């Protein structure tokens, strides 16, 4: 799908296709439809980023709270969104040793208790070892820094999900 | 569940229970968790309303666009949320005559083409006859008026969903 096809979508098709580029926040996708046409994928991405940036702090926390734990309950019970499942699997989070799984569960709980939102990381641009290290290190950060960092990761995840949807057909057009 | 039980919920349980009080917008529920404790149900409702009011116009349109059509595709294919299914059924929208169904489908399309978001009405406080009349009348409104009206209906729906969740156990406590 190229950007002109994206711009031609009804809001219903737009939300069906792009509704989960920010995890479980179709409201954001549905909101940015107002700004079409987009001159390219970067413009669509920038509109999403600007919408997120303009939310009050509670709204940004709300976005983070819509994300599942890494290697958490949703992964084990099969209730992750398709996108999250693929991203967590690619980073090896579905194949932790029992010691690693216990450590991740303990650190996830510590992180959530400390900040009131979950640890969010763009799993597709990293791997299991670095995720475990970051989870441990980021638990020590100040709350404000972690909010900003979490939102930065949300935007990275969003960019890769958008690229997967908008550019995946590109080779057919060459 | 009373308000002290609500205030004791983790954000995960809070979002699991209240995540759909605004249709398909768990972001809003997850955001207002920041403002706990709530002194009563009205305070929780007011926090949600204020969050909605503070969104840019595109965000309010986004909320409306997360709503299904009345008696539309999601009703027929069984993909409505539980809350919407119950509300639409209670208003008789799952038992339209074929002439009524055609009329609703035509007016829904006209409404969406005109405004860029779907017709939203609190089905639980009305009935089929009045819904059909309103759908027809509201198609004639100015866009700005319909935006405001749609958001007003979203808040009514939210209030009733909240009351169903928070007060449903109340009689046991008397």
């Amino acid at each position: 799908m190229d950007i002109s096809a994206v711009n031609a979508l009804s809001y219903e098709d737009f939300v069906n296709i792009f509704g989960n580029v920010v995890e479980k926040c179709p409201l954001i996708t549905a909101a940015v439809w107002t700004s079409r046409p987009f001159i390219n994928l970067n413009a669509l991405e920038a509109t999403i980023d600007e919408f997120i940036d303009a939310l009050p702090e509670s709204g940004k926390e709300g976005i983070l709270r819509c994300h599942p734990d890494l290697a958490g309950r949703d992964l084990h019970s099969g209730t992750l969104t398709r996108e999250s499942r693929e991203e967590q699997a690619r980073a090896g989070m579905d194949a932790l040793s029992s010691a690693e799984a216990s450590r991740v569960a303990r650190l996830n709980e510590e992180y959530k208790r400390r900040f009131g939102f979950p640890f969010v990381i763009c799993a597709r641009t990293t791997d299991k070892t670095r995720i475990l290290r970051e989870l441990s290190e980021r638990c020590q950060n100040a709350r404000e820094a972690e909010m900003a960092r979490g939102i930065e990761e949300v935007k990275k995840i969003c960019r890769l999900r958008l690229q997967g949807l908008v550019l995946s057909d590109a080779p057919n057009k060459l």
Side-chain angles (χ1 to χ4, degrees), chain A residues 1 18 21 41-42 45 124 156-169:
Chain A
M1 182 181 291
F18 296 103
V21 293
L41 181 62
N42 286 346
E45 186 195 338
R124 276 171 70 177
K156 274 194 235 170
I157 296 167
C158 174
R159 181 183 317 136
L160 293 174
R161 290 184 181 181
L162 278 173
Q163 287 175 354
L165 290 163
V166 176
L167 300 182
S168 60
D169 293 348

Side-chain angles (χ1 to χ4, degrees), chain A residues 7-79:
Chain A
N7 286 326
L9 294 171
S10 69
Y11 77 80
E12 290 164 298
D13 290 336
F14 188 80
V15 173
N16 279 339
I17 295 170
F18 296 103
N20 210 47
V21 293
V22 180
E23 180 77 9
K24 294 189 182 166
C25 294
L27 160 56
I28 297 175
T29 303
V32 301
W33 185 81
T34 300
S35 302
R36 77 198 187 293
F38 305 100
I39 52 166
N40 52 34
L41 181 62
N42 286 346
L44 170 53
E45 186 195 338
T47 308
I48 293 172
D49 289 355
E50 284 158 21
F51 187 88
I52 293 172
D53 289 338
L55 287 173
E57 292 297 281
S58 67
K60 295 185 183 111
E61 291 169 0
I63 291 175
L64 295 175
R65 290 181 193 127
C66 287
H67 285 70
D69 286 353
L70 265 172
R73 193 167 45 180
D74 285 320
L75 175 67
H76 300 305
S77 61
T79 51

Side-chain angles (χ1 to χ4, degrees), chain A residues 87-107:
Chain A
E87 289 157 2
Q88 294 205 25
R90 191 184 297 212
M93 300 311 287
D94 60 345
L96 298 180
S97 71
S98 125
E100 288 169 336
S102 305
R103 180 147 175 266
V104 168
R106 186 176 53 73
L107 288 169

